Amino acid sequence: MNHPDQFNPEVWPLVVYCLAVFGLIALMLGLSYFLGQKRRDPATDEPFESGIISQGSARLRISVAYYLVAILFIVFDLEAIYLFSWSIAFFETGLLGFIEATVFIVILLVGLIYLWRLGALEWGGHQESLVDRKDHR
């Protein structure tokens, strides 16, 4: 055991690595500052997409349903990653792991059915038939 006043020799590679990384970052930023372009054209700060100057406003109104579907996709995509990791360790987890994964999948299905019944997965508006429309009057 090392004395508290001594520096642990196992830490030296980490210290050298961190100094090398910070030195490389400083070198790259310094070189880009000194060797970079100094000329400023009127179009330098213009936003463009693939060489085409944009026209109009970038402030578009996007439906909340788009964001809801995107969030649901991310949630179910992350849960697929958990199931993939479970499938890799299938034999190590045994019957208990299988039961836990089954409960996990059932909970996901209940949530998906709830969202489906709630109408959260529908993109467009709900259309009523003429028969249904007459019944509501």
Side-chain angles (χ1 to χ4, degrees), residues 2 10 49 112 137:
N2 290 338
E10 296 175 0
E49 181 75 28
L112 184 62
R137 287 184 185 174

Side-chain angles (χ1 to χ4, degrees), residues 97-109:
F98 179 73
I99 292 171
E100 289 175 354
T102 304
V103 168
F104 183 69
I105 291 171
V106 167
I107 291 172
L108 288 179
L109 284 175

Side-chain angles (χ1 to χ4, degrees), residues 68-86 104 108 112 115 121:
L68 182 62
V69 170
I71 289 171
L72 293 176
F73 173 77
I74 290 172
V75 167
F76 284 105
D77 194 41
L78 289 175
E79 289 159 351
I81 292 172
Y82 290 129
L83 288 176
F84 178 74
S85 62
W86 165 77
F104 183 69
L108 288 179
L112 184 62
L115 290 172
L121 303 177

Side-chain angles (χ1 to χ4, degrees), residues 84-133:
F84 178 74
S85 62
W86 165 77
S87 69
I88 291 190
F90 177 76
F91 292 110
E92 288 85 4
T93 58
L95 181 63
L96 182 62
F98 179 73
I99 292 171
E100 289 175 354
T102 304
V103 168
F104 183 69
I105 291 171
V106 167
I107 291 172
L108 288 179
L109 284 175
V110 167
L112 184 62
I113 291 169
Y114 172 74
L115 290 172
W116 180 35
R117 300 276 300 179
L118 195 64
L121 303 177
E122 294 179 11
W123 277 92
H126 180 69
Q127 291 183 340
E128 293 182 357
S129 67
L130 293 175
V131 175
D132 292 338
R133 188 177 287 177

Side-chain angles (χ1 to χ4, degrees), residues 30-50:
L31 285 176
S32 68
Y33 178 76
F34 289 115
L35 299 176
Q37 182 180 3
K38 302 284 190 266
R39 185 174 51 117
R40 303 287 291 182
D41 290 332
T44 299
D45 295 328
E46 248 338 280
F48 65 94
E49 181 75 28
S50 302

